[in-house]
Amino acid sequence: MTALAALGGSLVGGILSSVTTYFTQRHQGTRERLSKDLDQRSTLYTEFNQVASELLLDSLDHTIDRPDLIVRMMTLVGRVRIASSAPVIMAAETAISELLASYRRPAVDYREQILNDKRVRSPAGRFYRGLPARAGAAAETSVGRG
């Protein structure tokens, strides 16, 4: 009887240990995937902001000096569509629309704007406001709002 109780106790202890290990590893994998996903989106949003800022400066004098940036921006919007929620996608599409519209506006000397303390606003600022708070904070830490 004592041997049977000891065997039962060992069996229950072994099963509980295995179940605990299984759930711990399962949740750790989920946390690692979520962290990796957040890092990838943060990198994507940071790149989006950098390209949007470069395009904004390019658009102020109405010359497309870097057509490769427009192609890169469209590629980034495609990646945002794959990785993001509907509000973020909408914000990215609005930013690209505003950038393209900026090429049709009268030319602006951004140096003069800065000297006169007028802020040249990046359309990516609206994009960041469309991000979920945590993703936006991570991307802001890397680059800052426009």
Side-chain angles (χ1 to χ4, degrees):
M1 181 88 163
T2 309
L4 193 56
L7 181 63
S10 294
L11 185 62
V12 169
I15 290 172
L16 285 176
S17 176
S18 296
V19 168
T20 301
T21 301
Y22 169 77
F23 281 112
T24 300
Q25 289 178 348
R26 183 173 169 209
H27 289 293
Q28 181 179 359
T30 300
R31 278 192 304 270
E32 287 173 3
R33 278 192 306 277
L34 289 173
S35 177
K36 183 179 176 184
D37 182 51
L38 182 62
D39 288 345
Q40 288 174 339
R41 279 189 278 147
S42 176
T43 300
L44 172 62
Y45 300 156
T46 299
E47 187 177 355
F48 182 95
N49 186 45
Q50 290 170 339
V51 174
S53 297
E54 290 179 47
L55 276 173
L56 177 65
L57 288 177
D58 187 51
S59 73
L60 293 176
D61 66 0
H62 300 292
T63 60
I64 301 178
D65 298 327
R66 303 272 320 271
D68 60 304
L69 285 178
I70 293 175
V71 172
R72 190 166 156 209
M73 185 68 160
M74 296 300 214
T75 301
L76 288 170
V77 170
R79 287 175 51 201
V80 167
R81 281 188 188 113
I82 292 169
S84 304
S85 65
V88 175
I89 294 167
M90 220 155 110
E93 289 173 346
T94 300
I96 192 80
S97 295
E98 288 180 12
L99 280 168
L100 294 175
S102 181
Y103 280 99
R104 293 188 294 271
R105 290 190 197 115
V108 173
D109 182 359
Y110 67 90
R111 290 174 218 100
E112 189 68 32
Q113 293 276 326
I114 292 169
L115 288 175
N116 290 328
D117 200 28
K118 292 181 182 174
R119 185 171 176 183
V120 177
R121 295 181 187 258
S122 170
R126 281 202 179 125
F127 171 71
Y128 275 119
R129 286 188 290 280
L131 295 179
R134 191 168 173 197
E140 275 181 36
T141 304
S142 301
V143 174
R145 279 195 189 204

